Amino acid sequence: MAESVRQIKLGTDGIERPKKVSVLSRALTGSLRIAGYLIATSVLSAILVFCIEIIARGSFGDTVLFFEQTNRPAWTTVGIYACIAIGLDAVLGRLHQGLLLIAPLALLFAWIGRQKALYLGDPIYPSDFLYSRQLVDLFPLLARERPWTAMGIVVAAVIVPFLLVFLWRLLRRRALPLNFKARLWRLGITIPLLAVFVSAMDHSTFSWTRDRLLVLPIMWDQKENYAYNGFTMAFALNVPMANVTAPEGYSAQAIEAIAAPSSTTFTTSAKPDIIMVMSESFWDPTRLPGVDFNRDPIPAVRANQTGAIFSPEFGGMTANVEFEALTGFSNAFLAYGSIPYQQYVRQPLPSLATFLKSEGYLTKAIHPFRQWFWNRRNVYEAFGFDTFMSEENLPKLAERGPLVSDQALTEEIIRQADEMQQPFFFFAVTLQGHGPYEPHRYKDPSIDVTTQAGEAARATIRMFAEGVSDADGSLRYLMNWANKRERPTVLVFFGDHLPPLGQAYVATGYMRKRVADRRAPLSDMLKQHETPLVIWSNRTGTDFGVGTVSPVFLPLHVLELAGITHPFYTGFLGSVRDHYKVIDRHILLSSDNEAKENWAGHHHINPLIGNFRLLQYDMMFGAQHGTNRFFPELNAHAPAMSDGARTLNAY
């Protein structure tokens, strides 16, 4: 009888049915709990991202639109926060503790970012935390305009931390603990996903993952970057540029040990006027193999070419070339992919404008586009320019194709120069040469092109060459005007980088890819980074024989031709130039054309380069120990810009 009962319980196949039902039930229950946990974390993450965007944008409608538009990374951001929350739950050992930890921090950052945008007109960057004073300066501005809000902030700063601690302890006791297995699978999923995400945030290289995540780096316009990608993703894109650490050996004693001339002098009887023109994408298209032109597109430049600029960029990122040309500082010593104009210029910095202004020059920047582009309005003020003439305050200038013509800009430069009674320094950035070079860009091209590279390449090259020809003609016009002047005048003209000709480079065989190599033999690097340079004076003519140089050496060559000495620009940079003529992130080129690739990883580097790095760090991020010896002009009072730009006291 007992044996019969056992058979009934086990069944004819000997399997204990009730036990099988119990295992399935537990598995189903566990799966439902995991699904519920993931759904709850995702929902809470979505609510958090929505709140972050409302705070950062200050608009409910814009936030809804951010989530509705499928080409923007709103839901990617939700997924990232969910991954972080799940990973933190595993670390902390209890459910939903991760969001309680990251939510207050994320909301606080969003609020600070909103206040900065309201009062300073710029989004918050990770590098802002290198300048804590900027964040502290926000509070007096807020207190003056919104005293009750300021009082509320003070009260919240006292109450909120206690409230968060109370909630943490309360939920910590009530939250379900996680066993080892539960913690392990959470870390096993989230760590690889977050690692892939972090690797995709380097905007300086193409990322298939970032493209799939719908994250689009818009580094030239940070306001649009934050508007398009959302607060979190835009902030993350800027994180790689915040890593600025002091070079080994940096100290006041190390700066003091760097030799420097003690005075600034003029070796000429008169202070010459100086005009620098950085021509957008100006380059010699006749270097393309197998391409013939009905005439030379750049006869004026070819007849007066001083040498070449070794541009640190290719096809874009104009601001980085501009930074070197105006300051004499190098991008090679900054974080890879950084844009100093966007991330690092937060205080007055030495520049040609600062120095010449201290010597009685009127300093003016001119660019026929909007002031916010590349953050130029704030940067030019930090660089000591008296005035920035832009699309907002220039007279209406004629266009050639879709953009303001080089000729119209040149005529405006001449008009303003003729009004000057004192020595002046003009720095102009042209616009006409900006890509893309679509077919039929110009209605009446005078340049004709023949090539076997195909019609698409021919059309691109022809439109680019037409614009280059216009730029060359504008330089000739400027030189003819300067030749008739009684006042000594120095002209500098150079291209900022090679143009974005795209497939035309490949079709003609000039390059293997559409874009330049980041590391390549010297011959290839020169092909992909050299742009024409003209340094000319109406007293002595062209300064021939400069050769190929980095933009950092432009202040040196300009001041030498102008007959001016300076402790840094002609003194220190002169000593560096005697040994090196190109200082690039990936290659050093000595004065005798010996290339040292990947030099930054070498332990034995010429002490001059080490001193250059130390001095640049000191002036940009350090205590500015070298001001009195290298940049005494910074001690002079610098008045606010005359075009109504706000002062740097609040920036």
Side-chain angles (χ1 to χ4, degrees), residues 4 51 111 131 135 140 166 198 289 296 334 394 403 437 527 548 575-576 587 626 628 633 651:
S4 299
C51 292
W111 183 84
Y131 308 92
L135 300 178
F166 172 76
V198 170
D296 186 357
L334 300 175
L394 281 168
L403 301 171
Y437 311 104
K527 283 174 57 178
T548 298
S575 63
V576 176
I587 193 169
N628 291 335
E633 65 273 11
Y651 191 73

Side-chain angles (χ1 to χ4, degrees), residues 280-285 288 433 437 441-442 459-470 497-501 505:
E280 173 63 44
S281 297
F282 188 89
W283 180 66
D284 182 0
L288 292 168
Y437 311 104
R441 174 176 177 144
Y442 301 111
T460 297
I461 296 168
R462 187 186 188 196
M463 290 301 102
F464 169 72
E466 184 70 21
V468 164
S469 177
D470 289 346
H497 51 69
L498 266 69
L501 297 180
Y505 286 124

Side-chain angles (χ1 to χ4, degrees), residues 183-331:
R183 298 172 75 172
L184 189 62
W185 73 255
R186 283 169 169 80
L187 290 175
I189 293 175
T190 57
I191 289 178
L193 290 176
L194 291 174
V196 170
F197 168 74
V198 170
S199 67
M201 288 301 102
D202 180 7
H203 72 83
S204 63
T205 59
F206 173 76
S207 169
W208 182 90
T209 302
R210 188 176 63 231
D211 194 48
R212 301 288 81 73
L213 292 176
L214 305 177
V215 179
L216 177 63
I218 310 175
M219 309 311 288
W220 59 91
D221 181 358
Q222 288 290 348
K223 291 182 180 179
E224 181 61 23
N225 190 28
Y226 277 73
Y228 181 90
N229 292 301
F231 179 84
T232 301
M233 288 299 175
F235 190 86
L237 286 167
N238 282 285
V239 165
M241 276 69 76
N243 184 28
V244 180
T245 57
E248 183 178 354
Y250 171 68
S251 66
Q253 293 74 22
I255 298 300
E256 187 66 27
I258 301 174
S262 59
S263 63
T264 298
T265 59
F266 282 78
T267 59
T268 55
S269 58
K271 297 179 178 179
D273 297 328
I274 302 172
I275 301 175
M276 291 181 67
V277 178
M278 186 170 70
S279 185
E280 173 63 44
S281 297
F282 188 89
W283 180 66
D284 182 0
T286 66
R287 298 184 70 170
L288 292 168
V291 180
D292 296 317
F293 299 84
N294 62 326
R295 63 177 177 84
D296 186 357
I298 57 169
V301 168
R302 202 175 307 284
N304 297 278
Q305 188 164 344
T306 294
I309 288 293
F310 186 95
S311 175
E313 302 296 343
F314 175 89
M317 307 295 283
T318 298
N320 283 355
V321 185
E322 189 175 324
F323 167 77
E324 292 196 3
L326 285 173
T327 64
F329 292 154
S330 176
N331 289 283

Side-chain angles (χ1 to χ4, degrees), residues 5 51 230 330 361 371 414 419 453 501 538 542 549 585-586 616 618 624 637:
V5 172
C51 292
S330 176
Y361 278 71
Q371 291 189 354
I414 291 173
E419 295 177 352
L501 297 180
N538 64 350
T542 300
V549 295
R585 183 173 277 109
H586 303 301
Q616 178 172 322
D618 180 58
Q624 298 191 338
H637 175 68

Side-chain angles (χ1 to χ4, degrees), residues 576-590:
V576 176
R577 187 267 316 270
D578 291 341
H579 293 80
Y580 297 100
K581 55 184 183 179
V582 171
I583 302 175
D584 181 70
R585 183 173 277 109
H586 303 301
I587 193 169
L588 279 177
L589 185 61
S590 69

Side-chain angles (χ1 to χ4, degrees), residues 46-111:
I47 294 172
L48 173 60
V49 173
F50 197 88
C51 292
I52 290 170
E53 291 301 322
I54 284 182
I55 293 172
R57 296 170 185 269
S59 169
F60 180 84
D62 286 349
T63 302
V64 171
L65 190 63
F66 177 60
F67 274 81
E68 285 182 345
Q69 293 183 335
T70 57
N71 64 323
R72 297 167 74 180
W75 296 106
T76 296
T77 309
V78 171
I80 294 301
Y81 273 105
C83 283
I84 295 173
I86 293 170
L88 286 174
D89 285 352
V91 173
L92 299 171
R94 290 182 182 269
L95 293 179
H96 302 305
Q97 297 294 286
L99 277 172
L100 186 62
L101 184 64
I102 62 174
L105 292 175
L107 294 171
L108 175 63
F109 279 6
W111 183 84

